Structure formats: C-alpha cells, structure tokens
Amino acid sequence: MKKKPIDVSMLAMPMSRSRYGDDPYSTKLVEKFEDFDEFKDLQKFIGNSDSNNEWVFRSVIAKDKCVIKWLKKHATEFEQLLIVSVGLDTKADALECLQDKESYGLDICKDDILNIYEYAGIKTKTKILQCDLEKDVNDELLANLIEEGFDIKKKTCVLWIGASFYISKESIDHTLDFFDKNINISHFVIDFMNKSVFQPPRNETVRLQLEALQGSELVWKSFYSYEEIQNLYRKHGFENIEIIFHGEAEYEAYGEVTLEDDMMFTSFAIR
C-alpha cells in the first residue's frame, strides 16, 4: 500500500509548542517525524534565533499560555468545544479541564491533519471536519457537525486562534454571524492582528514581517482595531469582553517583551 504524503510544514506549530511551550502532547506528536529530511529543515528554521522568524513562535507560545489560563478559569461554564482552523492544536486532548468536553474542529487541511495523527500513532478526541472558511460556512457544514454529534443547544466555546488573519474580514463576519444564529455560543476566543501596527507598516521590522509572507499561502488578509473587535462582539450580544495586548501575554509568558507590544490582540468574550 502506498503511504500517504506527509505535509511536514504543518508540524511547525506543535514543534514550537514542544520546544518553547513544554507541551508533552505536542512532543509525542512530532517525535515520530525526526527522520524526515523536511522535519530536520523545519527544526533548523524554528531553532534559528533570527528575529524574522523567531517572533512567530514566541507569539504562539505567549498566546497559548494566555488562552490555557483562560480555559482553566472558565471550563466549567461551557459544555463543548468548536475549534476553528484547528490544525494540530492539542489543547482538547492535553488539558485536564477539557477532558469532559466533546471537541469539534474545522480546517481546510483535514486530510493532512488526520494523516499526521495516523502516522504518529496518536488519536485526537477532536472530530475534525473539512472547512474552507471563505466558502464552506453554510447549512451543509452545520448538518455535518450535527451528524458527528455536535449539539447546537449545548453551551459552546468557540476557539479561533492563529488563523483569523488569513481570511477576509467579510468571511470572519459571515462565520461569526452564521454560528451565532445556529449554535449556542456562550464563550468565544479569537485573536487579531492590530491594524495600527500593520496598515501601513509601523516600522522596518514590521515591514519585513509582512514582506516575508508575500507570495506564500500565509499572506495576512485582515487587520482590526481595538474598537472594531469590541464592536464585532457587541454586535452579537457579547458584553463580557476582554482584549489582551500581545505584550501582556508575552510578558506573562517570558517576563519580558521583545516584540511589538500591541502587534496583535487575543480577545475573550462571554455571554
């Protein structure tokens, strides 16, 4: 039987969580790929202290720690998880506070994700569905979620971390509108890139960050102001809103701030 190709690039996030975030579950996930040449190249890239790429992984870990702290505080208040752009996020498997929650994930790379889990010999509790957020958030997706066991009446925490900036603002609005009308969202977590930092680029470092993404599939499409995030939540009836600047999360994670203090926001809302 011919082996399925492995998209090793998808291991960047669990590799960074394993190396910089001390995440044992991510470590288990990536250790099976150590003999892959592409994996070794990825290790060198992530281990490079050059500021043009280190900031990505430093920000991932800072956000992770911030989100995990929030989940531990509020996990008793919701009944199930919906993880948008789930990738290889292992929180639903690794966190004790989520062990009693059903978990569902949406991602455009469903087959690649499941292929990696299968090759690594690891099972995830998250039921992953194929979804292109630019075109697949519709009644068919909802029906597929329900078929997998998703309960539209249960209090649901939506996690959308590390991917909102890859799609348009129109698609973000549509996704939130659709889920708001069709499922019982009680808690919502999403991060955004700060418009005032990136449009236009505030300085040369920021310009180089954006330039490095040009021509790739990872070009950022959407940027928000602090006020726009508040308005987005209030439009959907959320009043308990907390917006964390990147610098706050980075300082709590590392005891120092080396990146743009306000380069991005991680936002939390409850209703």
Side-chain angles (χ1 to χ4, degrees):
M1 181 182 296
K2 185 177 180 181
K3 290 185 178 180
K4 301 174 186 175
I6 302 290
D7 184 356
V8 176
S9 66
M10 294 196 69
L11 295 168
M13 291 301 102
M15 191 186 297
S16 62
R17 290 183 176 110
S18 173
R19 177 171 295 188
Y20 300 118
D22 190 28
D23 179 350
Y25 205 93
S26 287
T27 299
K28 286 182 181 179
L29 188 60
V30 301
E31 64 185 4
K32 299 286 187 177
F33 298 89
E34 291 178 351
D35 292 333
F36 282 60
D37 289 338
E38 299 95 329
F39 184 87
K40 294 173 184 176
D41 292 338
L42 198 59
Q43 280 184 313
K44 291 176 183 177
F45 176 76
I46 291 176
N48 189 338
S49 60
D50 185 291
S51 61
N52 284 338
N53 61 52
E54 185 187 32
W55 71 272
V56 177
F57 309 109
R58 190 178 180 91
S59 68
V60 167
I61 301 308
K63 281 190 293 184
D64 266 3
K65 289 181 180 294
C66 182
V67 171
I68 288 169
K69 180 179 178 180
W70 185 88
L71 286 170
K72 288 179 177 178
K73 180 179 179 181
H74 295 286
T76 59
E77 301 166 8
F78 57 85
E79 300 170 278
Q80 63 187 0
L81 279 172
L82 178 60
I83 310 175
V84 181
S85 297
V86 61
L88 292 166
D89 191 322
T90 61
K91 292 183 188 65
D93 301 296
L95 295 181
E96 185 176 346
C97 66
L98 300 179
Q99 292 311 296
D100 63 336
K101 318 291 183 189
E102 291 291 321
S103 179
Y104 303 84
L106 308 178
D107 206 286
I108 195 171
C109 299
K110 171 192 171 182
D111 290 342
D112 290 321
I113 294 166
L114 295 181
N115 193 21
I116 287 172
Y117 276 116
E118 181 181 356
Y119 189 92
I122 293 176
K123 292 184 178 180
T124 176
K125 66 183 283 186
T126 300
K127 298 172 183 176
I128 301 172
L129 289 79
Q130 178 73 24
C131 178
D132 180 341
L133 295 170
E134 298 278 18
K135 62 181 182 180
D136 293 338
V137 180
N138 51 36
D139 289 340
E140 182 179 357
L141 175 65
L142 183 65
N144 291 338
L145 273 167
I146 293 170
E147 186 176 348
E148 288 291 336
F150 187 89
D151 190 332
I152 61 172
K153 295 181 179 180
K154 281 186 176 181
K155 290 182 178 180
T156 302
C157 176
V158 176
L159 291 181
W160 191 349
I161 297 297
S164 69
F165 23 93
Y166 297 124
I167 69 171
S168 66
K169 279 188 171 182
E170 291 77 15
S171 292
I172 291 172
D173 287 344
H174 171 71
T175 298
L176 190 48
D177 284 343
F178 182 82
F179 285 132
D180 185 39
K181 292 173 183 175
N182 290 284
I183 69 177
N184 181 15
I185 303 176
S186 59
H187 297 65
F188 203 97
V189 182
I190 185 170
D191 58 340
F192 296 104
M193 289 296 177
N194 187 349
K195 179 189 291 185
S196 67
V197 175
F198 295 98
Q199 288 187 324
R202 174 185 289 170
N203 53 43
E204 183 65 7
T205 299
V206 172
R207 188 189 69 77
L208 289 172
Q209 290 170 357
L210 291 173
E211 187 178 276
L213 299 172
Q214 292 302 314
S216 75
E217 296 178 357
L218 303 178
V219 173
W220 295 338
K221 298 180 181 179
S222 61
F223 302 87
Y224 284 76
S225 68
Y226 191 96
E227 293 72 24
E228 284 177 318
I229 298 171
Q230 289 181 314
N231 292 337
L232 185 66
Y233 277 128
R234 287 172 179 158
K235 173 185 172 184
H236 295 284
F238 289 97
E239 291 297 334
N240 187 346
I241 303 165
E242 182 180 10
I243 302 174
I244 304 294
F245 284 89
H246 170 77
E248 297 175 57
E250 189 185 359
Y251 185 81
E252 184 161 347
Y254 294 100
E256 62 177 343
V257 180
T258 62
L259 305 174
E260 295 287 328
D261 177 75
D262 57 348
M263 65 181 285
M264 67 180 70
F265 309 105
T266 303
S267 66
F268 307 87
I270 303 171
R271 64 180 176 191

